[in-house]
Amino acid sequence: MIEEGTTNILPAGSENFQTGWQTYSGATVTVTSGRSDPFGGTGAYRIQTSGGSNISKYLINVKNPSVNGVAYSGSLWIKNNGLAPVDVSLNISSSVTVTSNQWTRIQLPNRVGNGSLILQIAFRAKDAADSLDFDVMYPQVEEKPYITSYISP
């Protein structure tokens, strides 16, 4: 079976978790490259957050606003290094909570835009006071109702 082509609609260069990414509500974020990844290399990034007055800590806006009726799907690889759970959200629907210290490809398929909320990848805490510590790689957002293999933005 051959998989159809796709487009990762994240901004070019954002796979380094620095270009285009922003802290939120006073959170402090440190990004470290060269971390061990799930494929035996060192292509992952460590993200550590502290402070801030909101559960959202670190995010990238993809479409502002999302397009009403358009299906979006997001995915990335993540491993939680800390004690606090990490919520990963596209901001237009429910999130996925990551507690495992094992690499996992989280998938957020078929999140439908409403024309008012911003489509984004957001890393969130359960409580505004929580600090997050996780490794991550291969962020992807697609304009389709399902997930395909990773492609760079």
Side-chain angles (χ1 to χ4, degrees):
M1 186 170 143
I2 298 175
E3 185 176 74
E4 71 178 76
T6 194
T7 300
N8 187 344
I9 62 172
L10 285 170
S14 62
E15 67 273 20
N16 70 4
F17 292 93
Q18 295 180 56
T19 303
W21 291 82
Q22 57 189 305
T23 60
Y24 193 76
S25 288
T28 300
V29 174
T30 301
V31 178
T32 307
S33 63
R35 299 284 290 178
S36 295
D37 66 46
F39 309 105
T42 55
Y45 295 83
R46 183 179 191 181
I47 298 177
Q48 297 169 287
T49 76
S50 61
S53 59
N54 192 284
I55 61 169
S56 290
K57 302 299 180 183
Y58 201 48
L59 59 89
I60 186 166
N61 291 329
V62 182
K63 289 225 183 246
N64 186 4
S66 60
V67 179
N68 187 43
V70 171
Y72 301 98
S73 295
S75 65
L76 53 80
W77 284 88
I78 188 167
K79 178 181 77 153
N80 192 351
N81 301 318
L83 298 176
V86 179
D87 277 355
V88 182
S89 173
L90 293 183
N91 196 50
I92 58 174
S93 186
S94 60
S95 61
V96 171
T97 301
V98 179
T99 57
S100 174
N101 65 353
Q102 301 297 314
W103 279 105
T104 305
R105 185 180 188 202
I106 63 109
Q107 298 185 15
L108 299 154
N110 202 27
R111 297 332 202 231
V112 179
N114 65 6
S116 60
L117 291 176
I118 300 170
L119 175 67
Q120 58 188 209
I121 294 178
F123 298 112
R124 298 175 175 162
K126 292 291 187 187
D127 186 278
D130 289 346
S131 293
L132 303 177
D133 182 356
F134 57 96
D135 290 344
V136 65
M137 69 182 302
Y138 292 161
Q140 180 160 303
V141 178
E142 306 170 75
E143 286 185 357
K144 55 182 61 172
Y146 50 87
I147 307 290
T148 63
S149 298
Y150 176 76
I151 187 167
S152 295

